[in-house]
Amino acid sequence: MKIVPSFLFFYTLIITLISPSIASTLIQPKALVLPVTKDSATSQYVTLIHQRTPLLPIKLTLDLSGQFLWINCEKGYVSSTYHPAHCTTKQCSITKSKFCRNCFLSKPGCNNNTCNLFPNNIFTHINEIGEVALDVVAIHSTNGLSLGKIVTVKNFLFTCGRTNLLKGLASGVKGMAGFGRSEISVPSLFASAFSLNKKFSICLSSSSGVLFFGDGPFVFLPRIDVSKFLIFTPLIKNPDNSAGPIFHGRLGAEYFIGVKAIRINEKLISLNTSLLSIGDEGEGGTKISTLNPYTIMETSIYNSFVDAFAKELEDVPKAKAIKPFKLCFKLKDLGVTRVGLAVPTIDFMLQNKDVFWRMFGANSMVQVNNKVSCLAFLDGGVEVTTSIVIGGYQLEDNFLQFDLVNSRLGFSSSLLFLQTTCANFNFTSSI
Ligand SMILES: *[C@@H]1O[C@H](CO)[C@@H](O)[C@H](O)[C@H]1NC(C)=O
Ligand SMILES: *[C@@H]1O[C@H](CO)[C@@H](O)[C@H](O)[C@H]1NC(C)=O
Ligand SMILES: *[C@@H]1O[C@H](CO)[C@@H](O)[C@H](O)[C@H]1NC(C)=O
């Protein structure tokens, strides 16, 4: 029953905000879409929203595990529709903020009697207080085939970050878009603003990929609806969010999947399976991260994995390893297939023996110079919190749907098999 009034509330805001000619033909969008490009210098995935009045394009680093959206308000924030979130209002209570602060400059990021959160930058480990605020955000709707009308949320909640919080982020980026499990993550806010089903999808690319909020179809040129090709596995919530949403709550916001074993060329590798389950303090398990450029494994898993992969290629001469990778080959010694270099398949075995996420050369081997390609996985050390962190390179050209209604992940494996890629969404407007 709670959903109905909030939907009406936002709907009214949308109608009052946009011109009557558009409002008269307004239909409730079923899905929304954003572009996402890879920044080559940092390997971060960068999306673009439109915010403020007048609307301004704002680049943001995508953080699958982040709890909320934060944007630099300290420098160059000009908007006639900026509103700080005042303490004890409804907007403050959904953030679960316990920090009410008085700040007297009366400008974005510093207003009296506002609630505050702690945006953090995991690259620099800077974590500091920031004012919660609301402003206009505009985004393209989509029918899943191309771009639809632009729709607007009048009071999109975010947190202000200061300029020093941008250190380590891709050039031109003004903040981070948190897509984690939280009532105030970017997908949660779009879902509640437009009464969408609480689902979002990411399709990352080494060039330009796409993000969706809401339901499919998700059609990529030449007319492939990838939502028809998804395999599902439960999404697992890490129980360790005991420290609350402010400081150590990242664990609770992250998306884990239940990897039970790993196969290389369909042969199980030996590993300590207790590392694959999540312990009482949140340690172990397998999560997905868009901030790690490559998949990281705990040392014992990594060594077993690299040895098994090398054994399957024992007839191929090895090239000198190029850091940070451990196993490299000359390109001339490996064949090429539709799904990348001809190397052993890697299977992350999931809830039963018939469900696995298979990776091919396009996601397992990275070309490091014009002669050499290396196994694109890294040793995380023995002290890692999470045993396997599936990183960006392994996600590229794989369609991933985070279905929070059914608490499951839909994954496509390599779209190259379907003769499409994540760069093939038609970003032409149909209106
Ligand atoms: C700031 O807010 C507090 C709490 O609402 C109020 O008591 C105080 O008068 C305000 N100060 C200014 C300068 O507006
Ligand atoms: C397997 O991993 C668990 C958790 O790190 C550890 O306690 C245990 O000693 C390991 N077992 C072996 C045989 O290495
Ligand atoms: C892309 O979408 C536009 C708008 O719907 C359409 O006119 C165009 O034909 C599409 N392009 C392709 C290659 O299908």
Side-chain angles (χ1 to χ4, degrees), residues 272-275:
N272 179 349
T273 50
S274 68
L275 291 169

Side-chain angles (χ1 to χ4, degrees), residues 102 104 112-113:
N102 294 338
F104 303 111
N112 194 17
N113 185 32

Side-chain angles (χ1 to χ4, degrees), residues 282-344:
E283 78 283 8
T286 302
K287 72 175 181 187
I288 303 173
S289 164
T290 54
L291 296 180
N292 287 89
Y294 301 98
T295 297
I296 292 176
M297 293 170 165
E298 181 277 338
T299 296
S300 70
I301 301 175
Y302 181 77
N303 288 338
S304 174
F305 177 82
V306 174
D307 291 350
F309 198 90
K311 188 159 178 274
E312 292 298 313
L313 286 172
E314 63 190 354
D315 297 335
V316 180
K318 286 182 194 55
K320 192 163 176 280
I322 295 174
K323 277 186 180 163
F325 305 108
K326 203 174 161 189
L327 183 63
C328 301
F329 299 94
K330 291 199 173 114
L331 284 167
K332 68 171 176 60
D333 294 329
L334 294 169
V336 180
T337 73
R338 181 192 287 172
V339 285
L341 292 174
V343 292

Side-chain angles (χ1 to χ4, degrees), residues 89-136:
T89 58
K90 207 173 122 193
Q91 282 106 354
C92 277
S93 71
I94 70 161
T95 68
K96 301 192 176 83
S97 162
K98 292 181 182 68
F99 295 87
C100 190
R101 191 171 62 131
N102 294 338
C103 188
F104 303 111
L105 299 178
S106 295
K107 60 172 218 171
C110 179
N111 290 281
N112 194 17
N113 185 32
T114 60
C115 59
N116 287 256
L117 292 174
F118 285 81
N120 69 6
N121 175 327
I122 74 143
F123 300 106
T124 56
H125 303 288
I126 297 175
N127 183 320
E128 60 177 32
I129 197 160
E131 174 171 289
V132 176
L134 307 154
D135 207 340
V136 170

